[in-house]
Amino acid sequence: MSKPDVLMLNAMRPFVEGALSPSFEIHRLWEAPDPNALIAEVGPRIMAITGFGGRIPRELIERLPELKIISTSSVGYDGIDVKAAAEHGVVVTNTPDVLTDEVADLALGLLLATIREIPRAEHHLRSGQWPRGTYPLTTTLRGRKVGIIGLGRIGKAIAQRVAAFDVPVSYYGRHKQAGVSYPYVDSLLGLAKDVDVLICVAPGGAETQRMIGREVFEALGPNGIFINVGRGSVVDEAALVHALRNGTILSAGLDVFENEPHVPAELIALPNAVLLPHVASASDHTRDAMAKLAVDNLLAWAKGEAPLTPVPETPWPPVKAGV
Ligand code: NDP
């Protein structure tokens, strides 16, 4: 019996192709001299798509009539048109939980780096400035209140770590979370007013598009610190640059940006921003765990079993719209 065809969007962890090849015929889109020509050639046979993130718009889903599963090696799936997938009976799987601790660790690192100006202090030493004078005093985490936007898996892991630093935590999301004792604030502006550190770990997508903008930064105030490990699209980046430049807020630590990998020159020029190139899950250990889960989802499907981690918008077994 022939193996199902999988379209691989980009290079994945080294073990992935070996793990998939007994069960799938692999087509490497990123290696194709003309990706469009490859899709035209193999598109009618493609039953699965995999990759590390990447954009999967409706047009691609609709060019693949036999497509049944999209397995992304990421927990965020805002780049995938899940509505189109659901309409076409395609299950989408992501990689929840296996990256939660890694991302939460990085969020705390970014928070401390921003508050205590760790990158600038290190630059002071490396650039030979220390003998000419000590590094200036910084602001502190002591006495602050932290608000988390999106108290999901990663948000809860961040909250646990922040609480261990003996700092109070409250949160905003669309719903009050069951089983947590942190105070819930039912509006984003309300949370920004209540705290002086805001950590965003909300997903991207139409619903959250630029929901953090001028009003939120004004509510956070001149002593406010903004950290984003969620998605760049959640933030109005021009408003953030303005707020950092004009002292509307004190500083920001960002792992994600609106138009990655392009970061506005205005943001790069600001001394009160710590900027990371979307590395929150980027360790060997965690990227392997994510890739393994992406593979396991595909292998389960190939055996006729339920994929392990379908996203809520495309439950298993799939139901085609109107059926
Ligand atoms: P979860 O789904 O567990 O949590 C998402 C949280 O966001 C939920 O608490 C949800 O609460 C809240 N949320 C969803 N929609 C909205 C909305 N419209 N307004 C306010 N809050 C909202 O996901 P994870 O914690 O596993 O991951 C969260 C996100 O972190 C990912 O989607 C991804 O974008 C980002 N991420 C970034 C990484 C990086 O490298 N920087 C790595 C991994 C993840 P409620 O439903 O109550 O609104």
Side-chain angles (χ1 to χ4, degrees):
M1 213 176 79
S2 68
K3 296 186 276 187
D5 293 68
V6 60
L7 187 65
M8 195 175 278
L9 300 179
N10 39 40
M12 296 176 72
R13 300 295 292 158
F15 66 86
V16 169
E17 293 195 26
L20 288 179
S21 55
S23 308
F24 287 91
E25 198 64 51
I26 300 171
H27 303 279
R28 298 171 190 82
L29 188 64
W30 78 98
E31 280 181 353
D34 180 352
N36 247 323
L38 178 70
I39 292 171
E41 183 198 331
V42 301
R45 307 198 301 272
I46 292 294
M47 299 188 83
I49 300 180
T50 193
F52 171 66
R55 251 176 49 76
I56 306 181
R58 174 179 288 274
E59 304 79 72
L60 177 57
I61 291 169
E62 294 185 343
R63 282 181 75 184
L64 310 174
E66 294 303 318
L67 184 65
K68 300 288 184 296
I69 180 167
I70 297 171
S71 171
T72 182
S73 184
S74 59
V75 73
Y77 51 93
D78 45 301
I80 302 173
D81 191 329
V82 281
K83 190 164 177 283
E87 280 170 25
H88 291 273
V90 174
V91 64
V92 176
T93 65
N94 66 342
T95 61
D97 299 316
V98 294
L99 44 54
T100 293
D101 285 327
E102 199 76 81
V103 177
D105 290 350
L106 192 284
L108 264 291
L110 186 53
L111 172 65
L112 294 176
T114 306
I115 290 189
R116 300 300 310 280
E117 303 176 14
I118 294 171
R120 292 177 73 193
E122 200 211 22
H123 177 73
H124 185 83
L125 182 154
R126 284 184 187 270
S127 60
Q129 297 176 66
W130 192 7
R132 295 198 294 277
T134 52
Y135 187 77
L137 304 184
T138 69
T139 186
T140 178
L141 181 61
R142 298 301 99 211
R144 284 185 177 272
K145 292 187 202 164
V146 171
I148 297 179
I149 304 166
L151 199 79
R153 291 171 293 248
I154 300 170
K156 290 186 182 84
I158 293 173
Q160 191 186 25
R161 286 157 173 74
V162 170
F165 280 81
D166 216 8
V167 173
V169 175
S170 53
Y171 71 99
Y172 163 72
R174 292 166 303 178
H175 316 97
K176 192 173 186 316
Q177 297 289 316
V180 300
S181 56
Y182 314 111
Y184 173 61
V185 182
D186 66 3
S187 85
L188 179 51
L189 266 187
L191 182 70
K193 279 185 190 136
D194 280 0
V195 301
D196 47 24
V197 176
L198 260 188
I199 303 180
C200 171
V201 63
E207 224 187 297
T208 57
Q209 180 85 18
R210 295 192 174 170
M211 74 176 183
I212 301 170
R214 183 180 56 80
E215 284 192 313
V216 172
F217 296 127
E218 284 173 359
L220 188 57
N223 190 33
I225 289 165
F226 175 65
I227 304 294
N228 192 5
V229 293
R231 279 289 180 267
S233 61
V234 182
V235 179
D236 179 341
E237 219 162 61
L240 175 59
V241 168
H242 185 83
L244 286 167
R245 197 185 271 154
N246 292 280
T248 310
I249 66 170
L250 186 64
S251 55
L254 310 172
D255 185 46
V256 286
F257 302 88
E258 262 189 323
N259 186 27
E260 296 175 9
H262 306 291
V263 177
E266 299 94 312
L267 202 46
I268 292 175
L270 286 169
N272 53 343
V274 176
L275 310 175
L276 297 179
H278 201 146
V279 292
S281 71
S283 69
D284 275 338
H285 167 89
T286 293
R287 287 287 168 82
D288 278 355
M290 292 159 66
K292 182 175 183 313
L293 184 49
V295 166
D296 289 347
N297 270 304
L298 287 173
L299 294 181
W301 171 83
K303 282 192 275 179
E305 296 169 5
L308 309 177
T309 49
V311 303
E313 295 87 342
T314 63
W316 184 266
V319 188
K320 258 197 182 183
V323 176

